[in-house]
Amino acid sequence: WRVPIDGGEPIEIPFEVEVDLDLGPAVVFEYPISDSETFTARQIRDAVPSPDGERLAFTVLDHLYVMDYPTGTPTRLTDGDVPEHQPTWSPDGEWIAYVTARREGGGHIMKVRANGRGNPETVTAEAAFYQQPKWAPDGNRIIAVRGSVRAFQEALTRGVPGGSQDLVWVAADGGSATVIVPVDFNSPHFTSDPSRIFAYRSSEGLISFRWDGTDRKAHVRVTGRTAPGASSGPSASSILMAPTGDQALAQVVNDLYVVTVPYVGGETPSISVADPEKSAFPARKLTVIGGQFPAWGSDGRTVHWSIGNAHFVYNIDDAVVFEDSVEAAEAADTADDAEDADAAEDADEDDEDDEYQPQEIRVEVQVARDIPQGTVVLRGARVITMRGDEVIENGDVVVRNNRIVGVGPSGSVSAPSDARVIDVSGKTIVPGFVDTHAHLRAAASIHRDQVWSYMANLAYGVTITRDPQTATTDVLTYEDLAEAGRVLAPRMYSTGPGVFRGEVIEDLDHARDVLRRYSDYYDTKTIKMYMAGNREQRQWIIEAARELELMPTTEGGLDHFQDLTMAIDGYSGQEHNTPGFPFYEDVVRLYVTSKTAYTPTILVSYGGPWAENYYYAEESPFEDAKLRQFTPWEELQSKTLRRNAGWFHPTVHTMDRVAKLAADIVKMGGVAGVGSHGQLQGLGYHWELWALQSGGLSNHDALRVATVLGARAIGREQDVGSLDAGMLADLVILNENPLDNIRNTNTIDMVMKNGRLYDGDTLDEVYPRERPAGPFYWQRDVHPMTRAGMGKGGATQQQERQR
């Protein structure tokens, strides 16, 4: 701009500046979605060895299995449909105890013969929320952490407040539970000494006490490496005393260590495993890529753990012998070739072969994939295909089994004579909505057989979700349950737990080891790099991701300049908006050229009031009958009746200015996504979409972000996101046209996911089966206020007007 010195209007002078900027290679891949008849379960959970070490008990898709170790075939021990968790062996190896969790009525400690003969037997007399059972060494009693049934029923997300109240014991032959001590710890367990119970408490470390809770002792604390910027190393998340009582197994971040437990008086000894070779007390790192579900073998010399569907056994004595032999061989080579520099260099290159490798096996359980059978014609609707800007005003969509076989003007697409025809004239069909940033927060450790947040999203037309940073790996089992049709849910993809700075990435090789956790074991296809260090460390991570064909997304983190460097380096996605506005063509072009998919999550945006507060104030979601149908009362009232964030005048909301960057990226040919952040499951997706459109997108382009561009952002565009022959049958049937008004995305009549068609208000399946979805466990006690304001068919007056 030129401003006259003597006053007058500023004069705009257009100009361009070209900048040459080196960018990292785009890390973008396509991940085909299989529809084979079966798939291999991706996760085994809570695997524990038998006392003789010859068998392994574990759960797959929340059911109990056992196998001869290491070459046996996994065999299910039960045949019920109740979720089963956390097996523990009897000392004689004849029985396996475990816990169940029911939607209604609570769960029990159960036991079943390890040879599969006979029916499961109920051990506990009273139903409760039981966790972490352990069989005592004398075989007479089983301990467990107990909480109330209601605590589990009312739990909304991952945790169960009030679910860990008491440590109890019950006779192995059955009976009433006896309280040992109130719970302020986790991981209760035994050594070979039947007189003491061990557990872990983060503030005390490894502790033990008698059966009456007295004589409490603290044995050892364990900490890990200090990450840059942190004041101290992280404490272990769990410590397990060895059966022999001389060593302990500690989990620190994602790695496992064995430490020698010192016998000292006074203050509890603390062991740092930051550098095991220099530890004041002997310590040994067991894992390279990480591990979960650690367990001791009964001999106290073997350690078990699992990751994904792989199981590892580390033999401490074998490792010592191996290392001694390597050291001896190296000493001999050094003596023989003292003058041979080439030999010394070759020896350095062979260092990787000089490390003890634990035994690893894959536990492969084949699961039937849910694929409906039959052909249906959805006839007469307006079809917004997302094939370019195509809109078919009176079209047919033909679906066979779970794939679309034809889309075109009504009557132009062939279908078999016995195909079912569903008249959807006057309605609008769009591809299923894709939520690229969906925190669904299902229960962890003890799983539910139906998850309310999954159903809420599906009912609101979200047929595909990607959760960037799940905190735990429970999502792997839930994803498999959805694939098998055992829970009603969208297609679920995730990054698994994030890659945080606590990993303390040392170099490119270390980054490769960490990311193999996701490529080789979790099979997530993507990771969340959660501000995991400085730029060099972030570049090691993206380099490893590209090699392993993982699409890495990032945490925006309220740092504009860091956001720019991550786009420059080629990260596949950015989660949350880059702070500030407006941004000009240089920033827009950077995101477009780097192919970084931008998901701004405007409901929780930086730079102004969160957009969700606008919708809570303006939309009256408490009165939405459909939201009440799929949302527990506690969740609904806590979010919709009173907002801690306060009220903002509509003129100070910034959602349109925050959304403009995403709109400009899309207009220039880049990729953006709709990410609801799990703020209000289901309906929140539409709020986010409407906020995104307010940045200047046409309604059609907003729908592109919600469908085909969202699918591209997570590497699934070849199978979902558009309506065409060969695509998976994920679509939404709307009562009103979203091209006329973007808010019509919430006029949902029916939702089809994977070829199954559901009623949008109830999720009752209407094709190919006729199958009711409810009643749901969270509707157990319907609060009187949830009935207020309902009109015809349970709909609010607002919904009736909208229809």
Side-chain angles (χ1 to χ4, degrees):
W1 296 87
R2 186 178 72 198
V3 182
I5 296 177
D6 57 354
E9 293 295 321
I11 301 170
E12 181 179 357
I13 306 171
F15 69 96
E16 291 186 359
V17 176
E18 289 190 3
V19 176
D20 289 328
L21 180 65
D22 291 329
L23 300 181
V27 186
V28 177
F29 302 102
E30 275 285 347
Y31 306 114
I33 300 175
S34 174
D35 50 10
S36 61
E37 292 183 358
T38 63
F39 64 95
T40 302
R42 289 187 299 155
Q43 186 178 48
I44 64 172
R45 297 183 63 82
D46 300 309
V48 285
S50 61
D52 61 9
E54 295 183 359
R55 289 174 292 174
L56 194 69
F58 50 90
T59 63
V60 174
L61 271 68
D62 297 338
H63 289 308
L64 181 62
Y65 283 76
V66 70
M67 65 177 284
D68 292 338
Y69 188 84
T71 59
T73 300
T75 303
R76 189 175 170 195
L77 286 181
T78 59
D79 59 6
D81 59 359
V82 178
E84 301 158 347
H85 301 283
Q86 301 174 341
T88 180
W89 290 85
S90 63
D92 60 9
E94 296 295 318
W95 294 85
I96 297 172
Y98 58 97
V99 296
T100 60
R102 296 177 179 272
R103 297 184 190 180
E104 301 291 343
H108 282 277
I109 301 175
M110 308 290 293
K111 68 177 184 178
V112 64
R113 290 190 179 275
N115 60 14
R117 297 173 185 169
N119 296 320
E121 300 177 15
T122 303
V123 176
T124 42
E126 303 88 11
F129 178 55
Y130 295 102
Q131 305 175 73
Q132 305 176 63
K134 290 292 182 292
W135 214 304
D138 60 11
N140 296 325
R141 292 182 282 188
I142 299 170
I143 64 169
V145 173
R146 184 183 69 178
S148 70
V149 172
R150 196 170 187 90
F152 184 62
Q153 289 174 335
E154 294 182 349
L156 298 176
T157 57
R158 296 188 187 101
V160 180
S164 299
Q165 295 177 337
D166 300 306
L167 182 67
V168 300
W169 68 263
V170 62
D173 291 334
S176 296
T178 299
V179 175
I180 299 172
V181 66
V183 167
D184 61 354
F185 48 76
N186 61 36
S187 305
H189 61 282
F190 294 96
T191 64
S192 58
D193 178 5
S195 67
R196 297 191 71 82
I197 301 168
F198 288 78
Y200 176 71
R201 188 183 186 204
S202 59
S203 61
E204 292 182 86
L206 178 66
I207 62 173
S208 71
F209 44 84
R210 294 176 179 168
W211 281 87
D212 60 1
T214 63
D215 191 28
R216 183 159 168 161
K217 298 178 180 179
H219 298 273
V220 67
R221 293 189 180 96
V222 178
T223 60
R225 294 179 296 174
T226 301
S231 59
S232 61
S235 296
S237 57
S238 176
I239 304 179
L240 305 175
M241 183 70 92
T244 47
D246 58 341
Q247 294 184 301
L249 172 61
Q251 176 138 23
V252 183
V253 188
N254 290 296
D255 284 310
L256 302 176
Y257 300 83
V258 166
V259 301
T260 298
V261 178
Y263 290 92
V264 296
E267 187 176 347
T268 306
S270 182
I271 298 175
S272 172
V273 294
D275 189 344
E277 295 182 0
K278 297 180 180 179
S279 175
F281 301 99
R284 174 181 294 270
K285 184 181 179 184
L286 308 186
T287 52
V288 174
I289 60 171
Q292 289 186 281
F293 312 112
W296 281 103
S298 61
D299 57 4
R301 305 305 296 167
T302 53
V303 175
H304 292 244
W305 70 85
S306 305
I307 182 168
N309 63 9
H311 189 74
F312 296 80
V313 178
Y314 191 106
N315 188 299
I316 296 172
D317 294 330
D318 288 352
V320 171
V321 170
F322 179 86
E323 290 163 3
D324 288 345
S325 67
V326 168
E327 289 179 6
E330 288 176 347
D333 289 343
T334 300
D336 293 341
D337 301 307
E339 298 179 0
D340 190 341
D342 291 336
E345 184 176 340
D346 291 342
D348 290 340
E349 293 177 355
D350 292 337
D351 280 349
E352 291 185 2
D353 299 328
D354 294 341
E355 296 181 1
Y356 169 78
Q357 299 296 323
Q359 182 187 51
E360 175 184 354
I361 66 165
R362 291 286 180 153
V363 180
E364 297 188 350
V365 176
Q366 296 300 308
V367 183
R369 179 176 274 110
D370 179 47
I371 300 179
Q373 300 297 306
T375 302
V376 64
V377 181
L378 304 175
R379 175 154 293 165
R382 176 184 300 103
V383 184
I384 305 173
T385 66
M386 293 303 153
R387 299 184 295 202
D389 58 0
E390 177 183 53
V391 178
I392 304 172
E393 287 298 333
N394 181 12
D396 289 350
V397 178
V398 181
V399 174
R400 182 170 63 240
N401 300 341
N402 68 328
R403 293 267 177 182
I404 297 171
V405 295
V407 178
S410 190
S412 68
V413 184
S414 62
S417 59
D418 61 348
R420 179 171 171 182
V421 177
I422 298 178
D423 183 5
V424 288
S425 55
K427 302 183 186 298
T428 299
I429 299 177
V430 297
F433 298 131
V434 182
D435 193 330
T436 58
H437 191 122
H439 294 309
L440 303 181
R441 306 183 181 99
S445 298
I446 305 297
H447 295 166
R448 296 191 183 276
D449 53 359
Q450 186 55 64
V451 180
W452 71 267
S453 60
Y454 295 173
M455 297 188 72
N457 279 279
L458 185 61
Y460 278 91
V462 178
T463 59
I464 308 149
T465 63
R466 194 274 305 271
D467 190 334
Q469 210 305 85
T470 59
T472 71
T473 63
D474 298 83
V475 66
L476 302 179
T477 289
Y478 280 119
E479 288 171 9
D480 283 350
L481 287 167
E483 193 76 6
R486 300 184 191 178
V487 296
L488 198 53
R491 298 182 192 277
M492 294 190 296
Y493 304 104
S494 77
T495 66
V499 179
F500 291 89
R501 69 174 181 170
E503 299 280 1
V504 193
I505 302 296
E506 298 172 350
D507 51 33
L508 179 57
D509 284 338
H510 186 203
R512 291 179 179 124
D513 288 338
V514 169
L515 265 59
R516 282 184 56 222
R517 192 185 306 153
Y518 301 86
S519 63
D520 297 2
Y521 296 93
Y522 296 163
D523 189 29
T524 58
K525 312 300 186 189
T526 180
I527 65 161
K528 173 73 172 290
M529 193 286 296
Y530 209 109
M531 298 183 289
N534 60 30
R535 188 174 184 186
E536 183 177 37
Q537 290 170 305
R538 300 196 301 270
Q539 288 175 338
W540 288 333
I541 290 171
I542 192 172
E543 173 92 9
R546 183 178 58 82
E547 293 175 4
L548 296 170
E549 297 190 0
L550 295 166
M551 288 176 64
T553 194
T554 68
E555 177 73 7
L558 195 57
D559 189 329
H560 172 58
F561 294 107
Q562 180 173 289
D563 294 345
L564 296 183
T565 65
M566 292 188 293
I568 290 168
D569 292 341
Y571 270 91
S572 308
Q574 178 183 318
E575 310 303 315
H576 303 298
N577 67 297
T578 194
F581 45 77
F583 292 108
Y584 300 102
E585 185 177 348
D586 55 344
V587 174
V588 176
R589 192 172 294 279
L590 170 61
Y591 280 98
V592 173
T593 307
S594 68
K595 299 182 188 277
T596 298
Y598 182 60
T599 300
T601 63
I602 305 169
L603 294 185
V604 291
S605 63
Y606 302 125
W610 288 6
E612 69 170 349
N613 291 313
Y614 171 85
Y615 291 106
Y616 277 121
E618 297 295 322
E619 299 296 317
S620 300
F622 179 75
E623 299 176 0
D624 190 313
K626 179 174 177 177
L627 196 63
R628 293 174 178 175
Q629 172 84 351
F630 294 103
T631 309
W633 162 253
E634 294 85 356
E635 175 85 355
L636 185 67
Q637 63 87 19
S638 68
K639 289 189 172 182
T640 62
L641 293 184
R642 179 179 295 179
R643 301 293 300 164
N644 291 333
W647 178 83
F648 300 89
H649 191 277
T651 59
V652 303
H653 277 279
T654 59
M655 70 180 82
D656 55 340
R657 283 167 279 182
V658 171
K660 187 177 185 303
L661 176 58
D664 290 344
I665 289 171
V666 172
K667 291 175 183 177
M668 196 176 283
V671 180
V674 178
S676 70
H677 197 254
Q679 293 305 105
L680 183 65
Q681 302 290 356
L683 179 57
Y685 180 86
H686 296 271
W687 289 359
E688 178 71 17
L689 174 56
W690 303 343
L692 191 71
Q693 188 271 342
S694 72
L697 286 173
S698 68
N699 290 351
H700 189 273
D701 275 348
L703 292 173
R704 288 180 64 229
V705 177
T707 56
V708 65
L709 293 184
R712 185 180 303 169
I714 62 175
R716 310 286 178 172
E717 185 183 5
Q718 70 183 57
D719 285 301
V720 294
S722 59
L723 303 177
D724 203 352
M727 303 295 284
L728 286 163
D730 292 0
L731 53 86
V732 185
I733 302 173
L734 304 173
N735 287 312
E736 304 293 338
N737 183 3
L739 297 179
D740 294 338
N741 185 338
I742 195 62
R743 294 197 174 210
N744 287 335
T745 59
N746 192 29
T747 62
I748 296 170
D749 181 49
M750 289 182 282
V751 179
M752 177 175 280
K753 178 241 173 172
N754 202 45
R756 294 197 185 280
L757 190 62
Y758 303 96
D759 181 280
D761 286 334
T762 63
L763 282 188
D764 293 343
E765 185 176 335
V766 297
Y767 170 85
R769 304 171 298 193
E770 293 185 0
R771 185 174 178 176
F776 309 123
Y777 71 86
W778 58 87
Q779 298 171 329
R780 166 180 45 82
D781 295 323
V782 179
H783 194 281
M785 289 185 70
T786 65
R787 301 189 185 98
M790 289 188 177
K792 179 181 178 182
T796 64
Q797 295 177 0
Q798 180 183 2
Q799 287 175 313
E800 287 296 316
R801 288 194 299 271
Q802 187 178 43
R803 290 174 181 173

